[in-house]
Structures are given as structure tokens and as C-alpha cells.
Amino acid sequence: MGLVDSLITKLTSCVLTCPLTSLFIAVVLGLVLYIMQKLKPKGRNPFNVNSVRPKEGLENDLKKRDAVLKQGFTSKKVPEDLDAIVVGSGIGGLSCAALLAKAGRKVLVLEQHDQAGGCCHTFIEKGFEFDVGIHYIGECANNTLTHTFVNQITEGQLEWAPVGDVIDKVELGTGKDRTTHLVTKGKDNFKAELKKSFPAPEDQKSIDQFFIDMGRVRRLYPQTFIFKIIPLWLSRFLLNTGIFNLFSDLPYFSNLSLADYLDSLTKNKRLQGAVAYSYGDYGTQPRESSAMMQLMLLAHYMHGGYYPVGGASEIAYNIIPVIEKAGGKVLVRAPVTEIVLDSSGKAIGVKVKKGGEEHFISAPMVISGAGVINTFEHMIKDQKSRPESLLKKVNSGHGAVSIFAGLDGTNEELKLENTNTWAMAEPDLDKGLDDFLNTPAEKVGTEDIPLLFISFPSTKDPTWDQRFPGKSNCTIVTLGNWKWFEEWEEGRVGKRGQDYDELKTRLAERAWEQACRFYPQIKDKRVYFDVGTPLTNKYYIGSPRGEIYGLDHNLNRFNLSTSAELRPTTSIDGLYLTGQDISTCGFAGGLYAGLLTAAVILNRNLMSDLVNCTKATRKLAAQRQKKN
């Protein structure tokens, strides 16, 4: 049941019981429906089933790929008569720019790194390719909304390969106390696996309830987007008066910590760990995160996980031509130092620092996908224009540490699997991460790391063996405390000193040693090894404290009042936001944030357009299947 249907149902009930209440709610309902009416389709629809064309195949020529992904900034390359400037080429910025381009807008995307894509980019070192943020994505097949969306902004050129039926392997505890739990494709299969691991009657009951709640949250979560579109005063009115609580359970799940939810579900710490293991995918431990986030996350993968064929850089590589078709550009090595406001306080363009000079680029609107904190604390110079009340409610998430290992031997030779492993040394997830993050810097890496994500990207990409014969790779990700590294913040990349190198090496080697316990066959096959710390993340993707998930996914952020403020529009005329900070982290979060921002700018109900396009796509697929 959608929000409007729910509103009408509740209103009908109120009419029968209390005429005064029904009159009051009718006024509110009228306001909501009026706002939604304003977003009825207007202008050009960027979603068209005919925009998907036959796949051309992978382009493996690095020079040709670089000509798309690494177009360096010069003032001469900036198109004239821009309709918009997007700051940041992560999936939020790219999806928003592509939708605007498909609606006929000329958009310039500016990226401070030397390659477009944000966390979707890859790098090649010593003959090995590594992705930095795309490990697996849900709902990217079978003409789902997300699959259709991605096809539309890539003209069908991006292909996805399914990971195995076992998506994640959860390893809880160490030594003899270690237990293994499988997260499998399909809700019923995953439920059956959990029940196999936890046969006690009380646990079986808890597992059933968990899946009921997962379904509830899946249906509730889209309601958060309404609060980001309707006027902020109306959002505050509906929330502060408690009226919205009459219609929806969304506030309950948003304000409920994951730890409290798990304790109400079961007292079995291992069962809690088996369903909350992937909190590392958003980087906030159960005590501080919202139950809604974890339930939504697992629901996202119930139809399987997928990986972009050809590697994560294929995402930006296939979106950029769509932006260019409308006369736009995606330029890199273009750090935006300021979003420029005129005397009336309207955003009129940006300043880009290049070669010791600042270049002013004008446009009638600026869209920032660089994150809320970056945008308002570093790019808006006029402090009076900053949303101080919002900035006090949010903060950066934990820093992330990534280890990249190149292996001598093929996936087959090393018997590697395309299943991800989540190694949780301490089944009590809060305690494990608290102890780790509170470790003094000089002792980091001397004891086991309680949270490790271990993945072999080479096993997920069916083109890997062709592109990198005789090789495979491994990526390990964990969280880290920014304070361990901040003393070297001003140091140059690669020249931060011996103490910094020793700290990051000690941490990386401990993570590697732990990974080899699960995959002993890779221990002596390592021929390339590097580690990215929170400082690395700050340098390459501009994250203020080395986080890769944007704003902390804590209860403050998921409180609906705060969530309503994390919206495309800002108090600055002509300035919009997009990206994971106005939605949730990850590929899907950033992707739909782009749609949300484009919908507001175009004043068009793009979600309705996407739904209609998805239906048309499914119908066309059914006709083709019938014909064959």
C-alpha cells in the first residue's frame, strides 16, 4: 500500500470516529496531495524504452577508455551556455546529470580526482585492476526498477554478472568458537539457511519475525522521499505534530536503534550477528544505527548480488556519453574551491583551481554531490548561508581502510569463490567495534580486527581472465579511527613518513593474516600489496574524515526531521544537493538520490516515469520471449 492509499484509509477511519479530527487531517491530506500534484509529468520525459540500444561490447583499449574517463579540465573544454554544474562524479552526480541530459539539459560535471566515477572508479597497478567501492549491488537484473534505471542512463551498455547463490558468508567468532552462516539468494532460501543454523524454537520464531519486519520496512522506506520533496515547513508540521505517526510505522523503525531492535527480536548474540553482520556496508555499529537501515540493506540483496561486467569503471564509462550527447562534459582534475553566490545570495557558478589559478564557471544552478559537510563547510564561503541547525545534527561516518592484494594465479588455480566473506571476530558486534576503534594508534594491528570484509573481485567479473590472464585479486575492507591518522593529514601522498607507513602496514598485514585463515591458499601468492587509509580516501574522493559512506548512518541522521532536511533543495537559491548524503550510502542510495534531485529540478515525477518505463520494458521483453 502506498502512502496516499494509507492516508486515505486512515482518513476514512477517522471520519467514522471523529469528525473534527477528520477535518484537520483532511486539510493536511489536501496539502500533501496538492504538492504531489505539482510533480505530475511536465516537460520532456528522460525515460524512454527506445533509448536502450544493442550492446557494443567492452572497450579494452586503455587510451580510448581514458579519453572518456580522464578528460582533464581546461577552461577551453567548458561548454558554453550551461544549464547546470554538478560538483562530483560519484553515482549521485552522474545519475542526476544523465537524467538532466536526457531531458535536454547541458550539464558540466566537475571531478577533483584524475578519473571520473567517485567510488565507482578503478585503478590499475603492476598489471592488476582494483575497484575501490563497488563490491556487489542488488536488484540489477530481471528488469527491476534499478535495472531499468541503470539501463536508461547507460543506453543499455552496462551489463551485470550475478554473483553466486551464496552472496555472503558470515564467520562469527574465532577458533573453536567460530560458526559459519550463509546468506543466500532468495528470501526463502536465506530464511531456511538461518533456521538451519538456529534450530531452537524461540530462534525460529525470531527469524520469522525478522523477515516480516524486513518486508514492512521495504514497503515503508519510500515514504522518506516524500518528506524530501514536499515543502520543509509541511514536513516539519506532519512530523512535529505527530500526525504522520497516525498513518505510518516509518517513525518507529527510523528511531529504533538496530541494537534495541535485535534485543527485542532475540537474546541470541550469534543470531543477532547473523542478521546484522553487514552493518559494515554503511559503517555504523548497531548501537548507533537505525534498524531501518539494516533491514533495508538485507532486503536489497534478497534477489541476489551483481557485479558490473568489465569492472566498476564501466559505470562511469557508459554514463558519460549520455551526458555528452546533450552537449555536456565530465572533466577531471577540476577541484571546486567555491560555489559562488551573487549579491542576492543565489548560486551562480563555481570556482575551479587549476595550475595555481582559479577559473570561474557560470551556470544558472549548481548541484553538489560532494557531500553535505564538504559543500557547506568548504565550498560555501558565506557562513550566513550555511544551514547550521542541520550541520549540528549530522557528522561524518567512520573512516575506512582498504587493502588491495594482487595474486599470482588464476581464480580457478587458487580455488577462489565469488562469495564475499564477512569475518566478525566478536559476535557481540558493538563490543567488537568499540574495542577496536578505542585501541591506541601504537597498538593498532597487534590484535585481531573484529570486522573484515573479504572479497575477490576477479571472481565476479567474467571478463577478468581475458583482461588479466594468470592473475587474480583480493580486496579487504574494514573501518578505522580518523584520529589514528589525522596527524599526517597535511603530508604529501606517498611521503607521510615512516611512522605513518608502519601504522598502515601493521594494520594491513594483520588484516591479510586474518584473511589467510579463511583462504590459506592465497598466503604465498601475494605479488602486489597496498593499503588505503582514511587519509587516502580524503585525498582521492574528498571525504572530510576518510569515510566512504558519507554522513554517519546514525539515529540522528535517520530521525525523520533530520532526514527531511537532507533534501535536494537548499536555503540557497540555485543550489541543489544530490548523492548518498540525501538518501543512504552505496550505489543504489546515490543512484536514486540523483533521480530525486533531477525530479525536483525538472519539476517532474521521475519515479512515475521510471515505473512506467519499467512496465513497458517488461512488456517488450515478454513479447520478444514469446516471439522466440
Side-chain angles (χ1 to χ4, degrees):
M1 179 182 290
L3 178 62
V4 175
D5 293 334
S6 178
L7 286 169
I8 292 171
T9 300
K10 295 285 186 180
L11 176 58
T12 302
S13 174
C14 289
V15 168
L16 297 175
T17 57
C18 179
L20 287 177
T21 301
S22 68
L23 178 62
F24 182 61
I25 294 177
V27 172
V28 175
L29 176 60
L31 285 170
V32 173
L33 294 179
Y34 170 73
I35 297 299
M36 295 181 73
Q37 183 77 10
K38 288 188 68 176
L39 282 178
K40 277 198 167 184
K42 297 177 183 178
R44 182 169 160 187
N45 182 359
F47 291 104
N48 187 328
V49 68
N50 295 321
S51 65
V52 174
R53 53 190 173 83
K55 288 183 172 58
E56 295 180 356
L58 290 180
E59 176 57 74
N60 291 321
D61 187 315
L62 290 182
K63 288 185 178 180
K64 292 181 179 179
R65 294 182 65 81
D66 287 350
V68 176
L69 293 169
K70 297 183 178 183
Q71 300 178 68
F73 173 87
T74 66
S75 57
K76 292 181 180 179
K77 292 181 182 178
V78 175
E80 295 181 353
D81 301 321
L82 290 169
D83 292 305
I85 295 171
V86 174
V87 182
S89 69
I91 187 58
L94 288 177
S95 66
C96 180
L99 288 173
L100 294 178
K102 285 168 66 68
R105 306 293 179 93
K106 188 188 295 184
V107 184
L108 172 65
V109 181
L110 298 171
E111 168 60 48
Q112 60 97 30
H113 189 23
D114 65 3
Q115 181 179 169
C119 285
C120 297
H121 84 269
T122 61
F123 69 94
I124 296 176
E125 288 288 344
K126 307 296 183 183
F128 292 92
E129 182 181 73
F130 298 96
D131 57 51
V132 299
I134 297 295
H135 305 300
Y136 55 161
I137 296 166
E139 303 178 17
C140 281
N142 304 320
N143 296 322
T144 61
L145 282 179
T146 301
H147 188 210
T148 302
F149 188 176
V150 176
N151 268 350
Q152 286 290 305
I153 61 174
T154 63
E155 296 186 335
Q157 299 307 295
L158 185 60
E159 189 175 356
W160 300 89
V163 301
D165 288 339
V166 178
I167 304 167
D168 290 323
K169 186 185 294 182
V170 185
E171 303 285 359
L172 291 175
T174 58
K176 293 181 180 179
D177 292 329
R178 192 176 96 199
T179 56
T180 303
H181 310 280
L182 304 182
V183 179
T184 54
K185 177 181 178 181
K187 183 180 70 173
D188 292 338
N189 293 333
F190 181 31
K191 185 191 288 189
E193 283 293 337
L194 281 174
K195 288 190 171 183
K196 191 187 303 181
S197 293
F198 302 98
E202 60 271 22
D203 290 338
Q204 303 265 307
K205 204 173 187 180
S206 298
I207 292 167
D208 286 335
Q209 185 61 49
F210 178 79
F211 281 88
I212 290 171
D213 292 338
M214 190 193 297
R216 289 172 68 194
V217 166
R218 175 77 177 189
R219 293 187 294 273
L220 289 169
Y221 179 71
Q223 296 174 13
T224 61
F225 289 98
I226 292 175
F227 289 103
K228 297 175 186 292
I229 292 177
I230 65 177
L232 187 55
W233 66 265
L234 181 55
S235 293
R236 287 170 173 163
F237 176 75
L238 291 172
L239 295 170
N240 294 342
T241 59
I243 291 174
F244 184 68
N245 295 36
L246 298 172
F247 310 136
S248 173
D249 291 329
L250 182 63
Y252 169 75
F253 283 104
S254 298
N255 296 323
L256 178 66
S257 78
L258 177 56
D260 286 344
Y261 168 74
L262 293 173
D263 284 339
S264 69
L265 186 73
T266 176
K267 300 304 178 185
N268 186 333
K269 286 294 181 185
R270 287 193 180 268
L271 176 53
Q272 289 185 7
V275 298
Y277 70 96
S278 55
Y279 79 88
D281 266 336
Y282 49 92
T284 304
Q285 60 259 58
R287 183 186 63 252
E288 298 178 2
S289 61
S290 168
M292 185 175 70
M293 182 65 210
Q294 181 63 23
L295 289 162
M296 270 294 298
L297 178 67
L298 281 184
H300 179 64
Y301 290 109
M302 285 301 94
H303 296 292
Y306 298 86
Y307 189 82
V309 175
S313 63
E314 282 293 297
I315 296 169
Y317 181 77
N318 286 297
I319 294 176
I320 291 172
V322 173
I323 297 169
E324 292 179 336
K325 273 189 175 181
K329 275 285 185 183
V330 178
L331 301 179
V332 303
R333 297 191 296 279
V336 172
T337 57
E338 182 180 352
I339 295 172
V340 181
L341 311 183
D342 67 12
S343 58
S344 69
K346 182 184 185 301
I348 57 170
V350 301
K351 288 182 181 178
V352 173
K353 189 173 183 179
K354 185 71 173 180
E357 297 182 8
E358 280 193 327
H359 302 261
F360 172 66
I361 307 169
S362 65
M365 70 178 70
V366 177
I367 304 159
S368 178
V372 168
I373 293 175
N374 258 342
T375 300
F376 290 110
E377 292 192 354
H378 302 296
M379 296 179 188
I380 300 295
K381 304 304 181 185
D382 181 7
Q383 293 191 4
K384 294 179 182 178
S385 299
R386 297 174 183 172
E388 297 297 340
S389 63
L390 173 62
L391 293 174
K392 288 177 182 177
K393 297 175 186 175
V394 296
N395 56 274
S396 299
H398 291 307
V401 177
S402 301
I403 295 100
F404 306 100
L407 307 176
D408 181 20
T410 65
N411 300 312
E412 185 177 3
E413 290 168 347
L414 298 181
K415 296 181 172 58
L416 302 179
E417 54 192 9
N418 62 4
T419 296
N420 308 297
T421 295
W422 288 86
M424 323 297 283
E426 169 58 67
D428 187 332
L429 304 185
D430 274 316
K431 181 180 184 303
L433 191 62
D434 285 345
D435 291 346
F436 177 58
L437 294 179
N438 289 326
T439 301
E442 62 272 15
K443 291 187 177 181
V444 170
T446 61
E447 296 181 356
D448 276 358
I449 300 166
L451 164 66
L452 288 179
F453 172 81
I454 306 164
S455 176
F456 300 96
S458 55
T459 64
K460 301 174 186 177
D461 179 11
T463 71
W464 174 273
D465 289 337
Q466 174 192 346
R467 296 188 299 127
F468 302 100
K471 300 176 180 179
S472 51
N473 67 358
C474 175
T475 301
I476 307 169
V477 183
T478 189
L479 300 177
N481 190 332
W482 169 255
K483 292 182 179 179
W484 296 339
F485 304 96
E486 65 179 343
E487 66 178 278
W488 298 286
E489 183 178 1
E490 302 303 322
R492 291 177 58 190
V493 175
K495 295 183 179 181
R496 292 194 171 104
Q498 183 178 347
D499 290 345
Y500 171 76
D501 290 339
E502 287 179 356
L503 170 59
K504 72 173 190 175
T505 300
R506 192 169 64 243
L507 180 59
E509 289 291 357
R510 171 63 71 167
W512 173 256
E513 189 272 329
Q514 288 178 241
C516 289
R517 296 177 199 170
F518 302 102
Y519 301 96
Q521 69 271 35
I522 67 176
K523 186 175 183 179
D524 300 320
K525 297 296 182 178
R526 194 179 90 186
V527 294
Y528 173 81
F529 196 65
D530 198 9
V531 55
T533 71
L535 294 181
T536 314
N537 300 332
K538 180 167 185 176
Y539 179 79
Y540 286 109
I541 62 174
S543 51
R545 294 174 67 85
E547 68 278 11
I548 56 176
Y549 302 124
L551 295 176
D552 194 351
H553 284 56
N554 57 20
L555 286 171
N556 281 343
R557 181 207 176 131
F558 278 91
N559 179 281
L560 289 179
S561 294
T562 305
S563 179
E565 291 186 67
L566 294 169
R567 55 177 40 224
T569 55
T570 71
S571 58
I572 299 173
D573 187 22
L575 175 63
Y576 298 86
L577 300 176
T578 196
Q580 59 184 354
D581 280 2
I582 68 163
S583 178
T584 60
C585 71
F587 179 85
L591 182 76
Y592 281 98
L595 181 142
L596 187 63
T597 304
V600 170
I601 291 171
L602 296 172
N603 193 28
R604 184 180 176 96
N605 189 342
L606 294 185
M607 181 55 76
S608 176
D609 293 333
L610 174 58
V611 169
N612 291 335
C613 185
T614 301
K615 290 178 180 178
T617 300
R618 290 172 180 167
K619 184 177 180 180
L620 186 61
Q623 291 173 347
R624 287 172 178 169
Q625 187 175 15
K626 188 175 181 180
K627 188 179 292 185
N628 293 334

